[in-house]
Amino acid sequence: MLIINQKVKDALENHVPVVALESTIISHGMPYPQNVKTALEVEKIIESEGAVAATIGIIDGNPTIGMTPDQIEEFGKRKGISKVSKRDIAVVCARREWGATTVSATMILANLVGIKVFATGGIGGVHRGATTTFDISRDLEELGSTPVNVVCAGPKAILDLNLTMEYLETKGVTVIGYNTDYLPAFYIRESDLKVDVNCKTPREIAELIKTKDDLKLNSGVLITNPIAKEDALDKEETEKIIEQAITEADSQGIKGKDITPFLLKRISELTNGESLESNIKLVYSNAKLAAQIAKELTNLE
Ligand code: PSU
Ligand code: MN
């Protein structure tokens, strides 16, 4: 059932660094055509660092590790692709459908073939109001139980960051700040919450990952890479917009897996596209760092 791109297969066999990429960000996280342009550019950035990119998704029921540019284009355009978290993988595969994999589903598929480093924008986490809704992203659970290491710009700013950090601690996930003591919050460069450890170089991060794996801790680490100052959004202003978007989602009865795509889209509208621009830039930056970490990891092996 699994389709592995030949380039990715060769890289894995020959100790060439590989970086996994998800597809929910393409089909549900950004509008067309920016989604396709971003996804293709992210692959280029990874390749220019000397690593191989593997964009992961489900095509006609086949989990695909390393999409072709045509498949990425189709993912960006096609209507009705499901957003696939762990619980949805078997359904979409059994029904021979198309599925865009979230961080959790991408981690599972990456782990099946031995890819250790994965770049995305912002992970899912504990939603605001989760004490009554129980809305906690599967991403956190997966980080606690699957040894794939995720580079992101922090949990998305729409979440309850404090509860997200608590949950990650419960699941045994180390949160690394890349050259920062404070947790980045996606479009916002810095929150007031502390990360577990500040690592200064890709080498230092790779050493930490290798130590974790040697100790068979069986979880992923979360590498949080702050968005560049010039690409970041203003904290106070953005917070107001996030609150407005959440209020609108509540009043329209939006729930479950539809919440995150709704909020990302609405925040982009309310910021006249500025948040989308930030989102694209932070993904580029994460892809570059992920490739550098993957390279250092292969040097250590
Ligand atoms: N990063 C982005 N945009 C996105 C996502 C990540 O910049 O759309 C996706 C990832 O696939 C992540 C998902 O797993 O959002 C979180 O969805 P939820 O909150 O429903 O778990
Ligand atoms: Mn959810």
Side-chain angles (χ1 to χ4, degrees), residues 23-242:
S23 44
T24 292
I25 191 169
I26 305 174
S27 62
H28 295 74
M30 291 182 191
Y32 181 81
Q34 288 96 328
N35 56 357
V36 172
K37 191 172 162 274
T38 304
L40 296 173
E41 181 62 26
V42 162
E43 291 210 337
K44 269 199 211 129
I45 291 169
I46 289 168
E47 271 149 33
S48 71
E49 291 291 325
V52 168
T55 299
I56 295 177
I58 302 171
I59 297 175
D60 284 329
N62 299 111
T64 303
I65 318 288
M67 291 187 204
T68 63
D70 286 348
Q71 289 170 330
I72 289 176
E73 175 80 29
E74 182 66 20
F75 250 88
K77 274 190 191 157
R78 203 181 173 98
K79 300 270 176 269
I81 296 184
S82 344
K83 177 177 162 187
V84 173
S85 158
K86 183 177 184 183
R87 64 158 182 210
D88 314 296
I89 297 175
V91 180
V92 168
C93 291
R95 293 183 166 174
R96 319 295 305 159
E97 292 169 359
W98 286 57
T101 50
T102 62
V103 168
S104 74
T106 305
M107 285 178 73
I108 291 169
L109 298 176
N111 189 45
L112 278 182
V113 298
I115 303 175
K116 291 195 174 150
V117 181
F118 166 15
T120 184
I123 58 155
V126 181
H127 282 263
R128 301 179 190 192
T131 46
T132 51
T133 63
F134 266 47
D135 192 349
I136 301 172
S137 176
R138 174 71 206 175
D139 294 357
L140 303 184
E141 211 72 37
E142 217 52 68
L143 280 161
S145 58
T146 301
V148 172
N149 307 287
V150 179
V151 181
C152 67
K156 291 193 197 72
I158 56 171
L159 300 162
D160 185 319
L161 298 182
N162 189 40
L163 294 186
T164 300
M165 284 299 280
E166 288 297 339
Y167 203 83
L168 285 165
E169 189 269 334
T170 303
K171 297 293 158 186
V173 179
T174 307
V175 179
I176 298 174
Y178 181 55
N179 283 301
T180 178
D181 291 330
Y182 290 93
L183 183 72
F186 199 53
Y187 319 118
I188 296 157
R189 198 171 146 78
E190 186 175 281
S191 70
D192 48 15
L193 295 166
K194 287 246 171 143
V195 291
D196 301 321
V197 56
N198 179 343
C199 288
K200 312 278 190 208
T201 61
R203 173 77 183 195
E204 203 186 335
I205 296 170
E207 281 167 357
L208 205 151
I209 291 171
K210 182 161 191 304
T211 308
K212 165 194 60 99
D213 291 343
D214 288 347
L215 292 168
K216 300 193 167 28
L217 294 179
N218 246 325
S219 49
V221 299
L222 187 66
I223 300 115
T224 62
N225 178 29
I227 185 172
K229 273 196 196 84
E230 63 270 26
D231 301 325
L233 298 185
D234 176 78
K235 201 169 178 172
E236 275 76 42
E237 229 170 272
T238 310
E239 188 49 44
K240 275 186 220 142
I241 287 172
I242 291 171

Side-chain angles (χ1 to χ4, degrees), residues 218-294:
N218 246 325
S219 49
V221 299
L222 187 66
I223 300 115
T224 62
N225 178 29
I227 185 172
K229 273 196 196 84
E230 63 270 26
D231 301 325
L233 298 185
D234 176 78
K235 201 169 178 172
E236 275 76 42
E237 229 170 272
T238 310
E239 188 49 44
K240 275 186 220 142
I241 287 172
I242 291 171
E243 272 166 23
Q244 181 185 337
I246 291 175
T247 306
E248 289 179 15
D250 282 347
S251 69
Q252 292 177 40
I254 291 160
K255 283 196 301 203
K257 67 189 206 178
D258 297 330
I259 287 188
T260 299
F262 174 90
L263 293 177
L264 292 178
K265 179 165 179 269
R266 194 64 191 118
I267 293 164
S268 172
E269 288 162 3
L270 292 167
T271 59
N272 297 314
E274 261 191 72
S275 69
L276 176 60
E277 222 21 69
S278 298
N279 197 347
I280 292 170
K281 294 284 173 52
L282 64 84
V283 174
Y284 291 165
S285 165
N286 297 342
K288 183 173 176 186
L289 177 59
Q292 293 168 345
I293 296 169

